[in-house]
Amino acid sequence: MKLNSIQMLRAFAALLVVYTHSVAQMAIFAPSWQLRTPVFISMATFGVDLFFVISGFIIYLSAERLNGRIPAFSFLWHRFRRINPAYYAAVLLTVITWIPSLLRHQRPPVTGWQLLSWTILLPLPGDPARAISQAWTLSFEWFFYLLFFLLILLRAQRKGRILCCCLAGLSLLGWLLRSDLTGLAIFYTDPLLWEFLLGVAVGIIYRRWSPGRKFALCLLVPGIVLGLLFMLTGFGDSQAVPAPPPPLRYLHAICWGSAAALVVAGCVFLEKTGASPRLFRHRAILLLGDASYSIYLFHLLVLGLIAALYLRVGFFLNADALIPIHAVIAVAGSLVFYRWVEKPLLNWLRSIPPSDPPRPTPPRSAKP
């Protein structure tokens, strides 16, 4: 399923993440007023929240009616095909850039445990270091996909309700046992999983109801206002904290997730009414939406190459002036990755025809 409003939101979310990382990278070289302003640090947080809500919405609409073994494994293959090959390519390119530091023993060698973690994308005991730091969100994505895969495999009829009970139960367990949880238990009870449920809720309403334009705007405008307020104040922003205390994590999931859900719901309901704002159909925005996954995966590698260049030639120019320039360069480099890596990989995998089941050989007639 492809909605122009969703593509626009994906582009917007990816750009928020890129800009925040550009601000954070500049802190290595020189102070900037943007680094001291909450909005420029919290933008990536809201971008991730949007991505999670969008994933819940899209997965529900595209797979809620699937049931049985073959549809379940087909769903899993389509998710793998969409997520993993481009991620593996980005990891490979990242590791290639490590070769000089590995040869000079400036970086610890890659372990087999790390390779396994990078391959399956789910957290492992010991939390091995990631090749791409932002890939932590893909672990949440895959956990949600696997839950949906099980519901399809078991032919569940009310997938939305079961998901709500399952994920809400895990989050409640995480809250009750918050002082005793360690390691993988923290991940599988993380309240950020609620944001996928908010996307599922938007999908349920979208499928069953067609609200008018005024109702869509009544959702979209408060969502934008709340999102801006949270970003401007940094209220409940716990994404940048490695081990946030549980109350902040729950507060973040409720507040920021709700704002993201209102924005997503307002946009998709507005498009469903037949309204077509220019942002929903602008070619550049739709291109950025199509390339949003590549932008999310690849931009940090481009920013890292810029940082390596500065370390060699020295820093110059104003920090605040360079931050948007770096963000533009990172997006441009990511578009090259999308055009020459992700898109060809997807086209090649889509061209592989599904294997047909073997047909029984007819018995030979007996000789007279």
Side-chain angles (χ1 to χ4, degrees):
M1 180 178 185
K2 193 169 184 179
L3 297 172
N4 287 343
S5 56
I6 290 294
Q7 295 303 96
M8 182 270 294
L9 289 174
R10 281 173 169 159
F12 177 68
L15 294 178
L16 290 179
V17 173
V18 172
Y19 200 89
T20 290
H21 287 163
S22 181
V23 173
Q25 182 215 46
M26 187 50 62
I28 302 171
F29 302 100
S32 65
W33 70 267
Q34 295 180 66
L35 186 65
R36 297 188 294 269
T37 308
V39 64
F40 295 107
I41 300 302
S42 300
M43 289 192 301
T45 300
F46 195 59
V48 170
D49 298 325
L50 284 172
F51 276 130
F52 283 172
V53 174
I54 289 170
S55 289
F57 173 76
I58 291 297
I59 295 302
Y60 177 82
L61 286 187
S62 61
E64 189 270 337
R65 294 178 179 173
L66 299 178
N67 286 299
R69 184 178 62 86
I70 294 177
F73 283 99
S74 176
F75 166 80
L76 208 60
W77 162 244
H78 280 83
R79 289 295 90 204
F80 177 88
R81 184 179 71 185
R82 182 67 186 89
I83 299 297
N84 287 50
Y87 164 75
Y88 295 149
V91 167
L92 178 61
L93 292 173
T94 301
V95 173
I96 289 173
T97 64
W98 293 355
I99 292 177
S101 58
L102 288 171
L103 293 177
R104 291 193 295 265
H105 303 286
Q106 297 173 341
R107 180 186 292 272
V110 178
T111 65
W113 200 237
Q114 283 179 291
L115 289 175
L116 180 61
S117 175
W118 300 347
T119 301
I120 66 174
L121 271 175
L122 288 172
L124 294 176
D127 193 20
R130 298 180 177 90
I132 302 176
S133 60
Q134 67 271 31
W136 67 270
T137 62
L138 301 183
S139 298
F140 284 96
E141 295 274 355
W142 262 111
F143 181 48
F144 178 68
Y145 298 158
L146 290 174
L147 287 178
F148 221 99
F149 161 77
L150 289 176
L151 294 179
I152 298 172
L153 185 66
L154 298 175
R155 300 178 181 273
Q157 296 302 315
R158 299 184 181 273
K159 297 180 177 64
R161 294 183 182 181
I162 296 175
L163 276 174
C164 287
C165 293
C166 179
L167 294 180
L170 287 173
S171 298
L172 178 61
L173 184 65
W175 174 262
L176 296 175
L177 304 177
R178 58 189 180 277
S179 58
D180 302 321
L181 292 178
T182 57
L184 297 182
I186 296 175
F187 169 79
Y188 289 109
T189 58
D190 198 305
L192 286 183
L193 294 167
W194 287 357
E195 296 181 351
F196 291 96
L197 291 184
L198 291 172
V200 170
V202 174
I204 293 173
I205 299 172
Y206 181 87
R207 172 163 285 172
R208 300 181 181 181
W209 190 33
S210 296
R213 184 174 181 178
K214 290 183 180 179
F215 180 83
L217 291 174
C218 286
L219 295 177
L220 178 59
V221 173
I224 293 174
V225 171
L226 284 175
L228 288 174
L229 285 176
F230 292 149
M231 287 189 288
L232 286 169
T233 61
F235 176 75
D237 181 10
S238 59
Q239 291 288 355
V241 183
L248 282 180
R249 198 72 156 185
Y250 283 80
L251 179 67
H252 175 91
I254 294 171
C255 296
W256 294 64
S258 298
L262 287 173
V263 171
V264 173
C267 287
V268 297
F269 291 154
L270 190 62
E271 184 174 2
K272 192 174 184 180
T273 63
S276 182
R278 184 174 297 180
L279 283 176
F280 288 6
R281 48 190 171 84
H282 195 282
R283 291 181 61 184
I285 291 177
L286 293 179
L287 172 62
L288 291 173
D290 290 339
S292 58
Y293 184 50
S294 287
I295 295 171
Y296 185 78
L297 283 178
F298 199 70
H299 73 276
L300 271 184
L301 179 57
V302 179
L303 292 175
L305 294 175
I306 294 173
L309 177 64
Y310 282 150
L311 290 174
R312 284 187 173 273
V313 303
F315 177 76
F316 54 92
L317 297 181
N318 178 269
D320 287 300
L322 283 175
I323 287 172
I325 296 174
H326 291 174
V328 170
I329 294 173
V331 171
S334 301
L335 289 174
V336 173
F337 179 83
Y338 169 72
R339 175 65 179 83
W340 295 104
V341 179
E342 182 191 357
K343 197 172 181 180
L345 275 174
L346 281 175
N347 291 336
W348 173 66
L349 290 170
R350 287 169 179 162
S351 68
I352 300 176
S355 57
D356 296 327
R359 297 179 180 179
T361 305
R364 295 181 180 179
S365 57
K367 294 182 180 180

